[in-house]
Structures are given as structure tokens and as C-alpha cells.
Amino acid sequence: MRVLIAALGSRGDVVGFVGLGRRLASAGHDVTVAANPEFEQTVRAGGVAFRRLAGDARTIADLGTGPRSSPRFLAEQAEAMTTYLCGAADDLVDAAAHADVLLVNMTAQFGVDVAEGHAIPSAGLFSRPVEPTRAFPPVLFHTARSLGPAGNLVAGELARLSTTPFHRASAHVRAVMGLPRRSPVASLRRLRETRWPVWHGWSPHVLPRPVDWRPGLEVVGYWYPYVPDSWEPPADLAAFLQAGPAPVYVGFGSMGPGQGERLSSILAEALRRSRTRAVVGRGFIHI
């Protein structure tokens, strides 16, 4: 099959799908990963084809200015994210024209509409949970504080409907491809009624699959980046690994400027108290 994987976002949204694409290619499929231009070398190094999606993931690491809860910040954030998503959506429409199946990460959920327009099947490859559940609050709220089973479920539904830029991108795709209009509520209902499949890429030992999730939502384990057999760690990293017990890895992902400084101090104190060695992936932040 001609498999197109839409991996829109930061490096963490791309490298795992390069590893997955490599495995699919080894099974005989023709695999292409669509991502932002800065990841072309990463994709091609994994031995799969590359298609460009407009935009720069670094521009969304710290959207807007001023207090993060201010109306101005929220408006700037929504506008920048909408522009980013719609530009990528136009490129995905073109890239999917010759695909047999489209697999999309969470940031590229408009791919559902792209696949519908091209009359090909699609599925989700999500790295975090977005389907509402009674088990925990929505990750979009950026808190682990439970609201209780009923509160978590209601908050999860509200969070799904509040992602305005994603709904705008879907509406943009439907207009470009001549598809009938569909409201966000109707779109979510259709995904559930058709049991649109989503594979979630984390370990169930880290976060078990919620028992109230519908069929078609699976937790399948991590997708690891492709690492060539010839890879060797940098000399300083190799020396550190050999100098003591196996360390833990801590990833700061794609947090923007100013978001990681406080967390880095907490991390340093936690490592000191627990006498734990660590390798830290700092992403875009300075620590």
C-alpha cells in the first residue's frame, strides 16, 4: 500500500513516525512521511520518502504575547495556529492525492477530512489522549487535578469542542475539496459512530487505556525513532553513560521560551534529592 503519514508539529511529533514508517516499509509498503521542511533530513535518513507541509514548528512553540490567559494572547494564539494548520492542510490535500491510506497525528486531525475528500481510509496516530474519559481530566487543560468522573467527562467534551483552530482547518479542507459543511459536533459524532480507529503511542504501564473509551481507541506502546546500526553516541554522552548507574531520561519537548526554567529547577532538585542520574532533552528551551 501507499501509506502517507501526516506528522505535523515538532520533532517529537515526527521522529516516532519515521520509526513506524521504517517498519511499515520493511513490511513491503511504500511509505511517505509528511512534515514541516526542517525535518526533511530526519525523515529521509530513516529511509522513507518525504513530503513538505507548510509551516515551521518552532513558530508555535510560544504563540502570542502577554499573560497567557489574556484575551489578546488567546486571539493571537488562535490566529497563528489557524494559519499554521491551514497552510499545512493545503499541502496535505496534494500529498494525499496518490495515497492508499492516510495516517494522521493529533495536530493533523484535518487529515480525516482530506481522506474523505480523496475517498481513502484514514486512522489516527496520537501521542496523547484527547478522547473524553471519566478516568482523568483532559490533557488540553494542562493539569492532573481530577474533577471527578462526571467532571472529567464533561471537561473532556468541552476541551474537544474548544480547539477552534483545528475546527477551522477542517472547515478549510472541506471547502477546498468541495465537501459539504459539517459542524465540529457532527464531526466528532461521526468519528465515534464509525469507530474511527486511533492508535495511541504510549505504554499502558504509564497510562492505562480508560475503560470507558469506545471500541477503536487502542493504546499500543511507544513508536521509537529510527536509529541506524552505525550510530554512535557522542563521546561525552558515552562517557557519562559508562560512569555510573543507568540514568533516567527527561524530555522537555517543545515548550517555548520561558516555560521550562521553573521546571528545570524543580527537576534539578528532584534529581539531587533522589540521587538520580539523568539525561535531559531540553527541546527549544534554555536550562
Side-chain angles (χ1 to χ4, degrees):
M1 298 180 70
R2 293 170 297 180
V3 180
L4 177 62
I5 302 176
L8 183 62
S10 66
R11 184 178 183 276
D13 294 303
V14 177
V15 292
F17 300 133
V18 175
L20 175 62
R22 178 84 176 195
R23 292 293 297 273
L24 290 171
S26 68
H29 301 291
D30 180 3
V31 182
T32 300
V33 173
N36 291 142
E38 60 262 39
F39 302 115
E40 179 174 0
Q41 183 177 353
T42 299
V43 172
R44 295 192 185 280
V48 295
F50 172 81
R51 282 297 296 261
R52 173 188 179 276
L53 297 181
D56 185 337
R58 289 168 292 188
T59 65
I60 62 169
D62 190 37
L63 296 173
T65 58
R68 300 184 69 83
S69 60
S70 71
R72 176 184 175 184
F73 170 82
L74 295 176
E76 290 178 349
Q77 184 183 51
E79 189 62 32
M81 192 68 176
T82 298
T83 300
Y84 174 72
L85 293 174
C86 289
D90 288 335
D91 285 339
L92 188 63
V93 169
D94 293 337
H98 303 290
D100 295 317
V101 62
L102 177 58
L103 306 178
V104 302
N105 72 341
M106 197 190 77
T107 312
Q109 288 183 74
F110 51 77
V112 177
D113 305 282
V114 173
E116 180 182 341
H118 286 303
I120 60 174
S122 65
L125 303 174
F126 290 3
S127 58
R128 55 185 183 268
V130 295
E131 185 69 16
T133 175
R134 295 177 177 84
F136 46 77
V139 296
L140 294 175
F141 281 15
H142 302 291
T143 177
R145 186 182 298 277
S146 176
L147 303 173
N152 289 339
L153 189 62
V154 171
E157 294 288 352
L158 292 174
R160 283 285 272 167
L161 294 173
S162 68
T163 53
T164 300
F166 294 92
H167 302 318
R168 290 176 178 172
S170 289
H172 174 76
V173 168
R174 300 189 73 80
V176 167
M177 302 192 76
L179 297 171
R181 292 184 179 182
R182 184 184 291 151
S183 70
V185 172
S187 293
L188 291 176
R189 184 189 307 120
R190 185 173 184 274
L191 293 179
R192 291 165 180 169
E193 290 176 349
T194 60
R195 295 187 177 182
W196 186 64
V198 180
W199 294 287
H200 296 86
W202 65 78
S203 170
H205 297 291
V206 174
L207 182 65
R209 180 188 185 278
V211 296
D212 59 351
W213 268 6
R214 64 167 175 83
L217 303 177
E218 303 299 337
V219 177
V220 298
Y222 295 109
W223 297 298
Y224 289 99
Y226 166 71
V227 179
D229 294 337
S230 60
W231 183 83
E232 294 287 344
D236 56 347
L237 176 59
F240 175 75
L241 294 175
Q242 296 171 5
V248 298
Y249 172 80
V250 182
F252 277 76
S254 53
M255 287 187 291
Q259 298 179 30
E261 284 74 6
R262 178 173 177 272
L263 285 177
S264 64
S265 64
I266 294 174
L267 169 63
E269 179 65 14
L271 295 174
R272 186 189 65 79
R273 291 189 181 189
S274 62
R275 297 182 178 180
T276 301
R277 287 157 37 90
V279 174
V280 180
R282 64 182 181 86
F284 297 149
I285 70 169
H286 298 285
I287 58 174

